[in-house]
Amino acid sequence: MKNILLIFLLVFTSFCFSQKLNSKVKSIETKVTAKCNANISCSQKHGMTEIPRDYTLTVVYDKENLKFTTYNNPSLKGMNNYRITKKTDKYVVGSNEEGNYAFFDIKKKQLYNIDYFMSRYITAGYGAETSEIKQNVLKMMDILKNGSSQKDVIQHLIKQSEYDF
């Protein structure tokens, strides 16, 4: 009887300690949403495209990841994922496996991304200020067409976000 009780006690304590060691501390996520009314993008081939559509921009970021979606009922699995390369109290910059970049202006709740696909760039912007986003998306494409890199475009967006108008 003592042996059974001892074995039970050992198994129970090892189970309890293994549960505590395997639990991970999750990093704190910040979730930001913005009501939007147009999809704005610019491609090297087709130029500016603005599609009127009511949607909610949802951006979730933590210490390591920047995720966003424009679906009205977002799930974390269906979000676009970027690994954070720089984060301040004003903006978050991320890049993905393909070398594309995303930039999120925290104060203005505007997200911009650059996609390089089939030897062409596509720039896109999401947020509530449609006219400002349209100008920024066009400027992003102009910078890329002039031979600059995606990092140069991100530098331009960083400079804009640091101005407090």
Side-chain angles (χ1 to χ4, degrees):
M1 182 71 177
K2 288 182 183 181
N3 288 341
I4 293 174
L5 185 59
L6 181 63
I7 291 172
F8 176 75
L9 185 60
L10 287 173
V11 170
F12 180 74
T13 55
S14 67
F15 178 75
C16 290
F17 283 115
S18 70
Q19 291 296 318
K20 289 182 181 180
L21 292 175
N22 289 334
S23 65
K24 292 184 179 178
V25 177
K26 286 195 166 205
S27 60
I28 299 172
E29 290 185 339
T30 302
K31 182 177 180 180
V32 180
T33 59
K35 296 289 183 189
C36 309
N37 58 14
N39 280 351
I40 300 169
S41 64
C42 186
S43 72
Q44 281 182 305
K45 186 175 183 179
H46 301 291
M48 178 63 82
T49 304
E50 181 178 354
I51 301 170
R53 173 176 86 93
D54 290 333
Y55 64 93
T56 301
L57 170 66
T58 304
V59 179
V60 178
Y61 61 92
D62 56 19
K63 291 188 314 187
E64 298 175 353
N65 297 305
L66 170 66
K67 304 172 188 174
F68 77 94
T69 187
T70 58
Y71 293 113
N72 284 329
N73 295 317
S75 69
L76 291 177
K77 292 180 182 177
M79 297 182 110
N80 297 300
N81 291 321
Y82 291 84
R83 174 78 80 209
I84 291 179
T85 57
K86 186 171 184 180
K87 180 179 160 187
T88 69
D89 58 337
K90 294 183 179 185
Y91 61 86
V92 180
V93 177
S95 64
N96 63 11
E97 300 88 34
E98 291 89 28
N100 299 317
Y101 283 85
F103 175 87
F104 180 59
D105 187 322
I106 297 170
K107 183 179 178 183
K108 294 181 182 178
K109 296 183 180 181
Q110 295 176 349
L111 186 126
Y112 298 94
N113 71 323
I114 308 164
D115 189 14
Y116 186 72
F117 181 70
M118 295 183 67
S119 302
R120 291 193 180 105
Y121 284 109
I122 297 172
T123 58
Y126 310 95
E129 268 311 311
T130 306
S131 60
E132 182 180 352
I133 292 170
K134 194 185 303 185
Q135 289 175 349
N136 285 336
V137 168
L138 278 173
K139 180 67 176 173
M140 291 166 61
M141 184 55 74
D142 286 343
I143 293 170
L144 291 168
K145 282 184 178 179
N146 290 330
S148 297
S149 68
Q150 291 188 34
K151 289 182 181 181
D152 295 325
V153 173
I154 297 299
Q155 280 297 106
H156 170 74
L157 293 170
I158 288 171
K159 286 178 188 174
Q160 277 194 318
S161 72
E162 290 178 348
Y163 294 127
D164 288 329
F165 288 102

